[in-house]
Amino acid sequence: MSEPAASPSGLDPMVVIRSRPYIAALVLAAVLGVPISVLAYGFLALVAAVQQFVFVGLPNQVFGGPAPAWWPVPWLVLCGLLTALTIRYLPGTGGHSPAFGFKTGGSPPSGRELVGIVLAALTTLSLGAVLGPEGPLIAIGGGLGALAVHLVKKDAPPMALTIMASAGSFAAISTLLGSPVLGAFLIMEAAGIGGMTLSLMALPGLLASGVGALVFVGLDGWTGLGSFSLALPVVPPAVPPTVATLGWAVVMGAAGALLGWLIRWVGLSLRPLVHLNRVLVTSALGLLIGLTAMAYQLISGQSFTQVLFSGQDALPELVEHAAGYSLAVLVLLVVCKALVYGLSLSAFRGGPVFPSMFIGAALGIAASGLPGMNLAAGIGMGMGAMCAAMLRLPLTATLLATLLLGVDGVAVTPQVVVAVAVAFVITNVLPVPAPGSTTSVVPGDVGSVQHRDPSRADHPTDSSKADHSARRGRWIAWLFIIGSSLFALGAVPSYAEAVGLRMGAATFFVGSLFFTSAAFLQYREAVDGLPALDAARHSLWVWAPRNLGWLAGAVQLAGTLWFNWSTANAMWVNLGAELTDQRVWRPDALGSAAFLVASGVALRDAGRGALSGGHRTRAWKIGVINMAGSVAFGISAAAAYVIPSSGDIWNAQLSNLGTLVGALCFLTGAILLLNPESTDASVPAARRTPP
């Protein structure tokens, strides 16, 4: 959507409203409402049809029943690949990035750019990424409105283009949010329209929105495909506000603001990595989204579709069956949905509204059991707080939460207003979650990397080197964090009982892949730090055993490769005692020995400067924590020895405990590694085979 231009100086808006060109614009807006609404309805119907075929119809044909838990993984990789190729090679780069919320500046997209916007949104929404359709619909409607003006009059003034582009956006989103007025209000608040300009912009837009709503209703009755409007058929009964619920509204607002900040931080932090290699990184992000959805279904027993998609279709079912969800499942759902939402914001194309509402509703349902809280108030406050945090549009957030609850929304309005106000204030007080990058990306960036000065491109400054090292350090830390979390999860007995031996082994194997990736990046960090940097820069393997940093990184990388082999073989649950000893325990023991050596070398390296300042002190503390984790894993490996005569593990409980303790140690060290002052610390990767 485009930002409305202010009225020219000295121009009376009332004169404009009474003029014949403005009346003609009203007529054109009403006429445009029909084709734009038809195209928007067709786009939503196509997205729903592809989703139904890929995730319901095709699995029924292949497996004769519901899709298995792993089913979304390859489709999310394909989603990332197709979306990245569309953004990379088609005009318009698929529209603006949703990580920055709604775009309120710039001209509407051209006809050539609309093709890329449609295709990027189609692959994103239909193949499982966690974004909504409102962003692309606003861009499509605005582009079609501006295109119509160009066809009617090529030299039309900028104000006419702005008015008709906004009218097209109104028509495209007319009933998507359950109310044409709500959709129009969203666009006007996002664009910052006020004063008499509001009247100039709102009349054509509301007219097109009303016509579009009629078209949506007519197409629903004619085609029977559905209305595609967000609605709650079953609404929990509302309870009059109390002092307790108003107090909880403050807590919900703060929780929504912090969670929203974390989600935006994930999305914005990954954007520099996406720009380094969009196709590869976006495909990898799709893989992570699919794995998260698979893990949710395996752990909770609920469908992976609750984690995927925008949440528009899953929200009514979630609210209707709120009583059937345990607190643990709801917390897991919020965590998984928030994670994949942040990943989707970084590289895919869509809107931020619907995932925010779904996460807020799940958060409210989880909080509904608190003393003095009720379900309707919890859902309303959760949705309002999350929308305020993600959209930063407090009035729209309030309307979204209250209008969706229907008549009961009136009763919970006071609590929703408090939650929205608290979330909005805290969101604006918190620092902008955008870490520095050597790649210059402006807030309105649509996916392209800004080119640097050629004179400086081949001669990076010390500052650029430091920024590159810090960025790689954050990436290393997050890989270790994910891997450590997977190993800690796999070591929990209840998880192994819930998913079975093979899936438990697969959890360790996936975690080992994350650690190997992190260990390789850490090895490259050590190589880049060698004195002979220019000679070593392009070499995959460098021999420098006298350098302690290099030695720790190389030994650690070798250990992770042993653990890859060990955990991969552990997935074959029917191995005999001899093969288990050869393929699982021996490489596990070798990897444990390598980790002990790597931790000792890294600790000695960090200890050289332990008393010279806070920087070295932090590195030394991380080294101590990692050494403790390596010792715990060594104990776990010894306890996992396979007795040849019986084929049993010597002490399964001790092995499990060592794995859990070691994983938590490495997780702690990786979290400390996120501190920019501690990027020189070596964090040995965690690993373990299942007992």
Side-chain angles (χ1 to χ4, degrees):
M1 59 174 286
S2 59
E3 184 176 8
S7 300
S9 178
L11 182 62
D12 186 357
M14 295 307 300
V15 174
V16 176
I17 292 176
R18 297 190 187 101
S19 64
R20 293 182 60 184
Y22 189 78
I23 300 300
L26 291 177
V27 175
L28 181 59
V31 173
L32 285 177
V34 176
I36 292 178
S37 299
V38 171
L39 292 175
Y41 184 91
F43 175 78
L44 294 174
L46 179 60
V47 169
V50 175
Q51 288 180 358
Q52 181 71 16
F53 172 75
V54 171
F55 294 97
V56 179
L58 189 59
N60 280 328
Q61 296 177 10
V62 175
F63 304 105
W70 58 264
W71 183 256
V73 176
W75 293 106
L76 264 299
V77 175
L78 180 63
C79 176
L81 176 63
L82 296 179
T83 302
L85 292 175
T86 302
I87 295 172
R88 176 68 176 82
Y89 294 106
L90 291 184
T93 59
H96 75 283
S97 172
F100 299 107
F102 286 106
K103 182 181 178 183
T104 58
S107 58
S110 64
R112 296 175 66 248
E113 294 173 342
L114 286 176
V115 177
I117 292 175
V118 171
L119 292 179
L122 180 63
T123 54
T124 293
L125 301 175
S126 60
L127 295 181
V130 184
L131 291 171
E134 68 283 354
L137 285 181
I138 290 174
I140 293 170
L144 292 176
L147 180 62
V149 174
H150 280 298
L151 294 177
V152 174
K153 189 177 182 180
K154 293 185 178 180
D155 58 345
M159 176 62 79
L161 288 176
T162 301
I163 291 176
M164 296 314 300
S166 295
S169 298
F170 278 45
I173 202 173
S174 56
T175 58
L176 180 63
L177 298 176
S179 169
V181 176
L182 180 55
F185 198 92
L186 168 66
I187 295 174
M188 290 186 290
E189 187 180 15
I193 304 174
M196 288 305 300
T197 305
L198 175 61
S199 299
L200 293 175
M201 302 293 298
L203 288 178
L206 289 174
L207 186 58
S209 180
V211 173
L214 291 175
V215 171
F216 266 60
V217 173
L219 289 175
D220 177 25
W222 181 48
T223 63
L225 295 176
S227 64
F228 306 110
S229 297
L230 181 63
L232 294 179
V234 178
V235 179
V239 178
T242 63
V243 175
T245 55
L246 290 176
W248 287 121
V250 176
V251 177
M252 291 292 291
L258 296 176
L259 182 58
W261 186 92
L262 183 61
I263 293 171
R264 292 180 59 225
W265 181 84
V266 172
L268 292 173
S269 297
L270 290 174
R271 281 175 53 77
L273 296 174
V274 173
H275 291 148
L276 294 178
N277 191 325
R278 179 172 292 277
V279 175
L280 178 62
V281 175
T282 308
S283 301
L285 293 176
L287 174 63
L288 290 178
I289 294 172
L291 290 174
T292 304
M294 179 184 73
Y296 171 76
Q297 177 165 321
L298 291 173
I299 297 173
S300 67
Q302 303 289 334
S303 173
F304 58 74
T305 57
Q306 292 183 335
V307 172
L308 301 181
F309 311 119
S310 67
Q312 177 184 355
D313 296 330
L315 181 57
E317 181 182 357
L318 176 69
V319 174
E320 182 178 359
H321 301 94
Y325 291 87
S326 65
L327 179 60
V329 171
L330 288 171
V331 172
L332 179 65
L333 177 58
V334 170
V335 171
C336 292
K337 192 77 171 184
L339 173 61
V340 297
Y341 184 22
L343 297 177
S344 300
L345 285 173
S346 65
F348 294 86
R349 293 297 184 257
V353 173
F354 291 119
S356 304
M357 298 183 70
F358 184 89
I359 294 173
L363 191 65
I365 294 172
S368 63
L370 295 171
M373 180 73 86
N374 62 83
L375 184 58
I379 293 174
M381 291 186 294
M383 289 192 297
M386 283 302 304
C387 288
M390 296 304 300
L391 308 181
R392 285 164 289 175
L393 303 173
L395 299 180
T396 300
T398 302
L399 289 176
L400 281 169
T402 54
L403 292 181
L404 185 61
L405 293 175
V407 177
D408 292 333
V410 178
V412 301
T413 299
Q415 301 99 303
V416 173
V417 169
V418 172
V420 167
V422 172
F424 183 72
V425 171
I426 294 179
T427 299
N428 285 276
V429 170
L430 292 173
V432 178
S437 170
T438 56
T439 303
S440 176
V441 183
V442 297
D445 172 56
V446 293
S448 61
V449 177
Q450 305 296 316
H451 296 288
R452 293 176 294 175
D453 184 350
S455 64
R456 300 173 62 187
D458 298 328
H459 303 281
T461 63
D462 292 340
S463 177
S464 66
K465 292 179 180 178
D467 289 341
H468 176 73
S469 177
R471 187 168 64 251
R472 181 156 56 181
R474 287 192 298 270
W475 190 234
I476 291 171
W478 276 111
L479 288 173
F480 279 132
I481 287 173
I482 296 173
S484 300
S485 301
L486 289 174
F487 277 95
L489 175 65
V492 175
S494 59
Y495 173 81
E497 294 174 0
V499 301
L501 291 178
R502 178 163 294 179
M503 188 54 62
T507 303
F508 288 104
F509 175 67
V510 173
S512 74
L513 297 180
F514 278 99
F515 291 128
T516 300
S517 301
F520 176 76
L521 291 180
Q522 204 163 54
Y523 166 76
R524 290 304 309 175
E525 185 77 3
V527 169
D528 290 345
L530 293 174
L533 175 61
D534 293 335
R537 184 189 301 274
H538 302 293
S539 300
L540 181 63
W541 175 256
V542 177
W543 181 252
R546 295 181 181 273
N547 183 281
L548 295 183
W550 178 93
L551 182 61
V555 174
Q556 175 183 259
L557 179 60
T560 62
L561 295 176
W562 281 115
F563 296 138
N564 291 155
W565 177 248
S566 173
T567 53
N569 283 294
M571 290 189 291
W572 299 93
V573 296
N574 294 324
L575 290 177
E578 183 177 356
L579 289 179
T580 300
D581 177 73
Q582 294 176 357
R583 299 183 183 181
V584 178
W585 185 81
R586 291 183 186 180
D588 185 43
L590 290 173
S592 298
F595 267 56
L596 284 170
V597 172
S599 297
V601 173
L603 183 60
R604 181 183 178 186
D605 187 29
R608 287 180 171 181
L611 301 178
S612 63
H615 178 68
R616 288 296 184 182
T617 301
R618 176 61 61 86
W620 183 81
K621 290 179 180 179
I622 293 177
V624 171
I625 294 173
N626 294 333
M627 174 58 76
S630 296
V631 171
F633 278 158
I635 295 174
S636 176
Y641 175 70
V642 179
I643 301 174
S645 59
S646 63
D648 296 330
I649 293 177
W650 176 58
N651 193 324
Q653 292 182 345
L654 180 60
S655 176
N656 227 29
L657 179 61
T659 300
L660 180 60
V661 172
L664 293 178
C665 288
F666 286 117
L667 178 61
T668 303
I671 293 174
L672 292 177
L673 190 63
L674 284 174
N675 189 322
E677 295 182 347
S678 60
T679 54
D680 66 333
S682 177
V683 181
R687 67 80 205 81
R688 262 303 293 130
T689 57

